[in-house]
């Protein structure tokens, strides 16, 4: 007998989905607060009908709230694009720039033409402290002078193994240059790579007698033997797809740890196993031979460096020269195969052909691999915000649904129906807003600066007769939104949501906010919102490169650049809101050379030529700022243009105005309140004006801000030859205090402009110095100037 499928009235569903429970709870409230006036709780009572319909609407809302979060966040159009703006993918947030030697090896192996790479700590020529004269010298002072030797730390030498296809000298030179470029672009602060050289080879020969199966193809067998033995001597570092890494049991954070690569993922275990071999063990060779299909027994085997006499002392362990790659000399090796006691040897040309097939298959498989990302889960679009008025669900005799009352109804009856509709509209609006709020959850946790509300509303308009209840239906939506959330309330709530997102990265802006508000003497929440959004939008970059130094090989990006600065500068700038952290001149700047502007003439009745200025956006698509008066000469106009733009970097100098016909605009004023600059443009809404202000703020700060910083990497000042000058030091004449005097190893100087508005405040300076010491890698000693 088949089982009947039913929906139980009493189940395990939560309360918000249990219609009967909601009805009982509603009746309990009625009895508690209105029992003296309301005594009829039967289904025919209109109040009970209203209660039941509200309960139904709540279950509908609860049902939609119980959707999978993927469905709730799915948008009707451009869903994939919106999700990428909503979430930071694993490939973007989990990797970091190279930090460890293993990371740098991965970076080099990912370069086309590099099969493997090894990195070794090295030292430059030592320098000496002449304590008696309190200075550094290249040559050790005479015994009569107290002195101490300094070995500068942080230098590395690199050796690379080329792919089999890289054979010509020009190809090798090109790959070496690519390696140098990659290392310089990803160099850690206070570290550097002195040399990149091809690895030196040491050839070995193998002689063996092997018993094999009778049906084995000798050429294929020997090719397999040579391949496996070479893999033992110098293991290949394979790169895997994302699916392959998951199949191997790696978790997402393990897979994306280290630098992001272009040609697949590398296993740390395989990388470790591919270190240069120091010894070759005969027992390992025997095991390798025995594991190859077709081999029955190994009768005799010998491994020895090519060109050296065989040493009978310890044939079980053969040493490999330091910093050399062990290579199997196939031409000099000799393997004799026995099939039922009959000796055979493989044909050399056929073996080479089979080896080429093996290597070709491996190269083909590797070439098809790239570094994929974990896709963001997508859901089904559910039209969550769609709201159908509860008034349309009432029995028809109420006269408040879509059909309304008959034309023959009395004016009194129509008025009663309209009164009930108006009463229910309040609950309708609350429910409609809840549905809209649920559909906009993604915006609450968005990093987009376009978000301008945290409470979302929608107008109830499914019934045409509802429109008759509004005084001004066309503006009702805006009025309801304005009533729901004031700008001050939005700013505080938006800050709270951004704080939640920031806390997910174990970061905080609470102390920064307190310091900034104390300096400004007012709480500029919008400025704080902009700072947090900038931090979040750039977090993956700032976080991944926080230990990076500058790329000194990028000669076109050494000055007037925001790209080629240390990762520490980028991160510090994001934490203390230095919008223009480019390496540039912070004083005596040529402001007029940084902006696109126009000076134009004007004449009054006195026929005297005077000048005004306009400042354009970089692409000259719009006017950012105009003068408020005329100036006697061009030089005065340019000078005042710079002054006005400096006022525009501070939000407190923005004067917000509205015309009689309710158009919005703003001016720039000075400390006395006098208008010194104008934005000759009118905006339909406060929101449009706010966007224009934020645009001008950002523009002015970038063009005229005198805030910035310099991080000096002392290792780049280290002497490369005996003729290079040395940094000054100060030590006692007996060397008693020179234990940590080394001015080059893991030392940086951070130089800040003390004359600016914020940095002239001692509390802000102390806060910044604290942040610098917290954010500097723990092995590096910063000095703040």
């Amino acid at each position: 007998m088949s089982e009947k499928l039913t929906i139980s009235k009493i189940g395990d569903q939560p309360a918000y989905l249990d219609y009967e429970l909601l009805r009982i709870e509603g009746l309990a409230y009625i009895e508690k607060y209105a029992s003296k006036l309301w005594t009829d709780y039967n289904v025919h009572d209109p109040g009970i009908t209203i209660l039941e319909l509200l309960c139904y609407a709540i279950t509908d809302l609860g049902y939609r709230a119980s959707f999978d979060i993927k469905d709730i966040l799915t948008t009707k159009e451009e869903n994939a694009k919106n999700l990428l703006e909503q979430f930071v993918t694993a490939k973007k947030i989990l990797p970091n720039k190279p930090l460890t030697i293993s990371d740098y090896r991965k970076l080099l192996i990912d370069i086309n033409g590099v099969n493997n790479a090894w990195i070794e700590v090295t030292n430059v020529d030592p320098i000496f402290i002449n304590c008696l004269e309190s200075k550094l010298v290249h040559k050790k002072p005479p015994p009569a002078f107290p002195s101490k030797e300094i070995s500068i730390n942080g230098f590395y030498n690199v050796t690379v193994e080329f792919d089999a296809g890289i054979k010509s000298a020009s190809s090798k030179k090109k790959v070496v240059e690519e390696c140098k470029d990659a290392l310089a672009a990803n160099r850690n602060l206070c570290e550097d790579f002195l040399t990149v050289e091809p690895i030196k080879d040491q050839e070995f020969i193998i002689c063996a007698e092997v018993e094999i199966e009778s049906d084995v193809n000798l050429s294929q067998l020997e090719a397999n033997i040579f391949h496996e033995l070479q893999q033992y001597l110098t293991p290949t570092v394979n790169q895997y797809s994302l699916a392959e890494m998951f199949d191997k049991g790696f978790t997402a954070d393990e897979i994306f740890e280290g630098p992001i690569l272009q040609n697949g993922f590398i296993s740390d275990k395989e990388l470790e196993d591919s270190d240069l071999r120091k010894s070759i063990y005969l027992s390992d060779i025997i095991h390798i031979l025995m594991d190859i299909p077709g081999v029955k027994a190994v009768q005799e085997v010998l491994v020895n460096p090519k060109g050296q006499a065989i040493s009978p002392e310890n044939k079980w362990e053969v040493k490999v020269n330091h910093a050399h790659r062990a290579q199997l000399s196939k031409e000099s090796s000799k393997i004799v195969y026995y099939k039922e006691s009959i000796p055979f040897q493989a044909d050399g040309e056929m073996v080479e052909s089979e080896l080429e097939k093996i290597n070709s298959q491996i190269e083909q498989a590797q070439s098809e691999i790239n570094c994929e990302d974990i896709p963001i889960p997508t859901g089904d679009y559910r039209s969550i915000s769609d709201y159908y008025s509860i008034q349309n669900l009432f029995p028809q005799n109420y006269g408040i649904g879509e059909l309304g009352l008959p034309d023959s109804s009395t004016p009194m009856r129509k008025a009663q129906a309209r009164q009930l509709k108006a009463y229910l509209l309040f609950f309708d609006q609350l429910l409609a807003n809840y549905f809209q709020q649920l559909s906009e959850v993604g915006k609450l946790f968005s990093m987009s600066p376009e978000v301008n509300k945290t409470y979302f509303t929608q107008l109830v308009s499914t019934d045409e007769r509802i429109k008759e209840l509004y005084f001004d239906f066309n503006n009702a939506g805006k009025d309801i939104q304005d009533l729901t959330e004031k700008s001050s309330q939005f700013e505080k709530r938006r800050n709270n949501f951004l704080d939640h997102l920031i806390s997910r990265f174990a970061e905080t802006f609470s102390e920064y906010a307190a310091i900034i508000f104390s300096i400004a003497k007012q709480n500029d929440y919008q400025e704080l919102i902009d700072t947090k959004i900038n931090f979040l939008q750039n977090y993956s970059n700032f976080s991944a490169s926080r230990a990076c130094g500058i790329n000194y090989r990028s000669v076109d990006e050494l000055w007037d650049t925001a790209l080629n600065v240390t990762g520490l500068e980028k991160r510090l700038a994001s934490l203390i809101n230095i919008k223009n952290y480019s390496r540039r001149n912070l004083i005596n700047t040529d402001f007029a050379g940084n902006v696109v502007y126009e000076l134009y003439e004007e004449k009054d009745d006195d026929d005297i030529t005077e000048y005004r200025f306009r400042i354009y956006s970089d692409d000259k698509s719009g006017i950012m700022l105009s003068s408020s008066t005329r100036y006697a000469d061009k030089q005065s106009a340019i000078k005042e243009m710079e002054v006005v733009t400096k006022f525009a970097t501070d939000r407190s100098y923005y004067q917000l105005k509205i015309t009689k016909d309710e158009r919005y605009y703003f001016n720039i004023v000075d400390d006395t309140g006098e208008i010194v600059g104008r934005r000759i443009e009118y905006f339909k809404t406060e929101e449009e004006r706010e966007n224009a202000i934020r645009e001008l703020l950002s523009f002015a700060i970038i063009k005229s801000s005198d805030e910035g910083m310099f991080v000096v990497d002392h290792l780049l000042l280290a002497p490369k030859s005996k003729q290079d000058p040395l940094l000054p030091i100060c030590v006692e004449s007996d060397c008693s205090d020179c234990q940590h005097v080394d001015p080059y190893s893991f030392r940086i100087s951070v130089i800040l402009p003390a004359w600016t508005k914020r940095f002239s405040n001692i509390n802000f300076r102390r806060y910044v110095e604290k942040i610098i010491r917290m954010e500097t890698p723990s092995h590096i000693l910063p000095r703040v100037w």
Side-chain angles (χ1 to χ4, degrees):
M1 182 176 180
S2 61
E3 182 180 355
K4 292 183 178 180
L5 299 177
T6 60
I7 300 176
S8 174
K9 290 184 178 180
I10 302 175
D12 297 329
Q13 68 267 30
Y16 57 80
L17 294 179
D18 192 331
Y19 168 81
E20 191 61 31
L21 177 62
L22 291 173
R23 186 178 184 279
I24 292 172
E25 291 287 337
L27 287 172
Y29 274 103
I30 294 172
E31 291 175 350
K32 181 177 180 181
Y33 294 106
S35 58
K36 293 182 179 180
L37 300 174
W38 192 342
T39 58
D40 187 356
Y41 306 130
N42 293 308
V43 293
H44 61 264
D45 187 274
I48 300 302
T49 301
I50 294 174
L51 171 65
E52 289 174 343
L53 290 174
L54 287 175
C55 290
Y56 168 73
I58 291 173
T59 60
D60 185 17
L61 176 62
Y63 168 68
R64 300 190 198 191
S66 66
F67 288 160
D68 192 297
I69 189 64
K70 298 193 300 292
D71 295 344
I72 294 176
L73 295 178
T74 295
T75 55
K76 188 174 183 179
E77 298 176 352
E78 297 186 317
N79 183 52
K81 176 177 177 291
N82 294 334
L83 286 177
L84 284 174
E85 293 176 355
Q86 181 79 49
F87 294 101
V88 184
T89 63
K91 185 177 178 179
K92 191 173 182 180
I93 195 62
L94 292 180
N96 58 265
K97 291 295 184 76
L99 288 173
T100 66
I101 287 179
S102 294
D103 289 343
Y104 282 107
R105 289 185 64 194
K106 290 180 181 179
L107 180 74
L108 293 171
I109 292 170
D110 197 50
I111 296 174
N112 292 330
V114 177
N115 188 55
N116 208 336
W118 300 271
I119 299 174
E120 193 173 48
V121 176
T122 189
N123 291 303
V124 295
D125 292 337
I127 56 177
F128 301 89
I129 303 173
N130 183 335
C131 299
L132 195 61
E133 298 179 358
S134 189
K135 66 178 183 179
L136 294 174
V137 293
H138 286 288
K139 296 179 66 176
K140 186 175 182 179
F145 289 77
S147 64
K148 182 173 180 175
E149 180 180 315
I150 292 179
S151 294
I152 302 175
N153 298 313
F155 290 112
Y156 302 90
N157 285 334
V158 179
T159 53
V160 296
E161 175 189 2
F162 299 113
D163 286 338
I166 307 297
K167 295 180 180 179
S168 67
S170 60
S171 298
K172 291 179 179 180
K173 182 179 179 181
K174 181 180 178 182
V175 172
V176 167
E177 289 301 311
E178 287 185 29
C179 291
K180 289 180 179 179
D181 288 339
L183 291 170
N186 293 274
R187 182 184 66 85
N188 278 338
L189 200 60
C190 298
E191 294 181 8
D192 199 9
F193 301 90
L194 294 180
T195 62
V196 179
E197 301 287 346
I199 191 70
K200 296 177 181 178
D201 289 338
Q202 182 182 10
E203 290 190 305
F204 291 83
I205 61 173
I206 179 172
C207 296
E209 293 182 356
V210 180
E211 185 179 349
I212 62 174
E213 302 285 353
S214 59
D215 57 347
V216 170
N217 184 308
L218 280 185
S219 301
Q220 292 179 354
L221 177 62
E222 187 158 299
N224 288 334
I225 289 175
F226 284 157
H227 174 74
E228 294 300 325
L229 288 178
Q230 188 60 59
Q231 285 296 305
Y232 166 73
L233 297 177
T234 53
T236 300
V237 180
N238 294 309
Q239 294 185 260
Y240 299 98
S241 67
L242 183 64
E244 288 173 330
M245 292 296 283
F246 278 126
D247 290 341
K248 288 178 176 292
F250 291 99
T251 58
D253 57 323
E254 292 172 334
I255 294 171
F256 288 97
E257 185 178 3
I260 194 65
L261 307 178
Q262 300 299 318
N263 301 309
F265 301 93
I266 294 175
S267 164
D268 287 335
K269 179 64 169 59
E270 285 191 17
L271 190 68
E272 182 182 342
D273 291 342
S274 71
D275 280 339
L276 288 174
R277 186 168 294 283
K278 298 176 181 178
S279 296
I280 301 172
Y281 296 97
L282 200 60
S283 58
D284 293 340
I285 299 294
I286 294 172
H287 285 143
I288 291 171
L289 293 174
M290 289 298 297
D291 287 340
I292 294 175
V295 174
K296 293 172 65 177
V298 178
Q299 297 176 357
E300 189 67 41
V301 65
L302 178 68
V303 176
N304 200 65
K306 183 179 179 181
Q308 292 185 19
I310 298 174
S311 174
E313 294 179 0
N314 186 8
K315 69 174 185 178
W316 293 97
E317 181 184 0
V318 181
K319 296 291 186 181
V320 181
N321 292 341
H322 176 70
H324 281 63
R325 176 182 62 168
Q327 282 286 91
L328 182 63
S329 175
K330 300 186 290 294
E331 298 80 6
S332 303
S333 297
K334 183 178 181 181
I335 304 177
V336 178
Y337 305 95
Y338 290 91
K339 294 183 179 181
E340 298 178 355
S341 301
I342 301 175
F344 295 90
Q345 280 190 273
D347 181 271
E349 291 185 1
M350 295 181 67
V351 170
E352 193 63 34
S353 176
E354 292 294 335
L355 267 173
E356 288 180 2
K357 289 180 182 178
I358 294 173
N359 293 329
S360 177
Q361 290 173 357
I362 294 173
E363 290 175 7
Q364 179 65 27
Q366 289 287 290
S367 66
E368 296 174 354
I369 295 173
N370 54 47
C371 191
E372 309 112 308
D373 202 350
I374 299 177
I376 299 174
T378 56
D380 298 319
Y381 178 67
R382 298 281 196 166
S383 303
I384 293 175
S385 62
D386 288 357
Y387 178 73
Y388 188 67
S389 172
I390 59 172
Q391 299 186 31
N392 295 328
L393 304 177
F394 273 74
Q396 189 173 339
N397 62 322
Y398 279 71
I400 60 173
E402 292 178 327
L403 296 177
L405 290 169
D407 293 337
S408 59
S409 300
T410 64
M412 173 66 73
R413 182 70 187 92
K414 291 180 180 179
Q416 289 172 336
R418 287 167 64 89
Q419 283 183 325
L420 180 57
K421 287 180 71 67
Y423 169 76
L424 292 174
L425 184 57
F426 174 78
F427 301 98
D428 249 339
Q429 188 61 58
L430 285 178
L431 287 166
N433 290 352
Y434 282 137
F435 281 80
Q436 186 67 29
Q437 185 77 4
L438 180 61
S439 72
E440 302 284 7
V441 164
K443 290 184 179 179
L444 296 178
F445 299 98
S446 169
M447 296 178 284
S448 171
E450 303 301 321
V451 175
N452 57 11
K453 59 177 74 77
T454 62
Y455 283 120
F456 299 91
T457 63
Q458 63 173 321
L459 201 59
V460 179
S461 58
T462 53
D463 178 5
E464 285 296 319
R465 289 182 174 80
I466 286 180
K467 297 180 180 180
E468 302 171 358
L469 303 177
Y470 291 95
F471 173 75
D472 181 5
F473 180 79
N474 291 331
N475 294 315
K478 180 180 181 301
D479 294 340
I480 290 172
Q481 181 64 52
D482 292 343
L483 287 171
T484 304
E485 185 175 40
K486 302 298 182 184
S487 60
S488 59
Q489 189 178 15
F490 158 74
E491 290 172 351
K492 291 181 179 180
R493 282 172 53 81
R494 180 64 171 147
N495 267 292
N496 289 338
F497 281 113
L498 292 173
D499 283 339
H500 171 85
L501 294 176
I502 290 170
S503 69
R504 288 179 172 265
F505 300 117
E507 307 280 2
T508 178
F509 270 79
S510 57
E511 189 174 0
Y512 170 79
I515 290 290
I516 290 300
F517 289 167
S518 67
I519 294 174
K521 308 298 183 184
Q522 60 181 352
N523 296 353
D524 190 347
Y525 287 106
Q526 186 58 54
E527 177 68 17
L528 191 57
I529 288 172
D530 294 340
T531 301
K532 292 175 180 178
I533 288 175
N534 176 69
F535 179 79
L536 285 166
Q537 287 183 332
N538 295 283
Y539 186 77
S540 57
N541 178 28
F542 294 162
S543 179
S545 63
R546 63 193 303 173
C548 274
I550 67 164
N551 180 1
Y552 54 77
R553 285 176 65 89
S554 180
V555 294
D556 296 330
E557 287 285 345
L558 293 179
W559 192 252
D560 285 331
T561 176
L563 297 175
N564 191 15
V565 298
T566 67
L568 180 62
E569 286 172 271
K570 294 178 182 179
R571 179 164 171 81
L572 290 173
S574 68
L575 286 171
I576 58 179
N577 195 26
I578 295 179
K579 288 187 171 65
N580 188 356
Y581 54 82
S582 62
R583 191 181 304 110
R584 69 196 193 281
N585 191 356
L586 297 180
I587 58 175
N588 301 323
T589 57
D590 178 18
F591 173 76
N594 290 334
V595 297
V596 180
Y597 70 95
E598 175 189 12
L599 298 180
Y600 59 97
E601 299 178 358
E602 276 194 358
K603 288 184 180 181
D604 264 344
D605 297 337
D606 55 12
D607 203 34
I608 297 175
T609 299
E610 294 178 305
Y611 297 91
R612 288 181 181 268
F613 65 79
R614 296 190 187 102
I615 301 176
Y616 292 92
S617 58
D618 288 340
D619 60 0
K620 216 172 181 179
S621 61
I623 299 174
M624 304 298 294
L625 199 58
S626 299
S627 56
S628 61
T629 187
R630 295 183 292 270
Y631 303 95
D633 52 66
K634 292 182 178 180
Q635 289 73 24
S636 298
I638 292 175
K639 184 177 179 180
E640 190 65 18
M641 180 174 66
E642 181 174 359
V643 172
V644 172
T645 307
K646 282 194 177 295
F647 280 120
T649 64
D650 190 331
R651 195 183 185 89
S652 62
Y653 292 108
Y654 284 70
Q655 181 189 65
L656 307 184
K657 305 287 286 182
I658 183 171
T659 63
K660 291 181 180 180
D661 57 352
E662 295 187 344
R663 291 183 297 164
Y664 300 88
Y665 68 102
F666 65 89
N667 300 316
I668 305 298
V669 299
D670 61 13
D671 291 313
T672 65
E674 180 182 352
I675 298 174
V676 293
R678 296 184 185 277
R679 178 66 173 264
I680 305 178
E681 184 177 1
Y682 295 98
F683 307 96
K684 294 181 180 179
T685 64
E686 289 181 87
E687 180 182 336
E688 291 180 3
R689 180 179 64 185
E690 177 60 30
N691 290 336
I693 290 174
R694 289 170 63 181
E695 180 186 28
L696 179 56
L697 264 171
S698 178
F699 175 87
I701 288 172
I702 292 174
K703 296 299 181 182
S704 69
S705 173
D706 50 6
E707 284 193 347
M709 70 175 71
F710 299 102
V711 172
V712 180
D713 186 340
H714 289 203
L715 192 73
L716 298 183
L717 305 177
K720 300 297 189 299
S721 70
K722 299 293 185 182
Q723 288 72 43
D724 289 344
L726 299 169
L727 291 175
I729 59 170
C730 182
V731 296
E732 294 293 334
S733 59
D734 61 354
C735 291
S736 59
D737 63 341
C738 65
Q739 184 178 359
H740 302 291
V741 172
D742 179 358
Y744 298 107
S745 302
F746 307 116
R747 300 286 192 275
I748 62 172
S749 290
V750 183
I751 303 167
L752 301 169
W755 60 86
T756 65
K757 179 178 179 181
R758 292 198 303 171
F759 284 106
S760 60
N761 182 287
I762 188 63
N763 292 327
F764 185 73
R765 288 172 63 177
R766 287 172 179 164
Y767 169 74
V768 171
E769 289 183 16
K770 172 186 171 184
I771 292 296
I772 289 172
R773 290 184 169 86
M774 288 176 60
E775 295 299 329
T776 302
S778 59
H779 65 289
I780 296 176
L781 179 64
R783 186 171 183 182
V784 184
W785 299 80

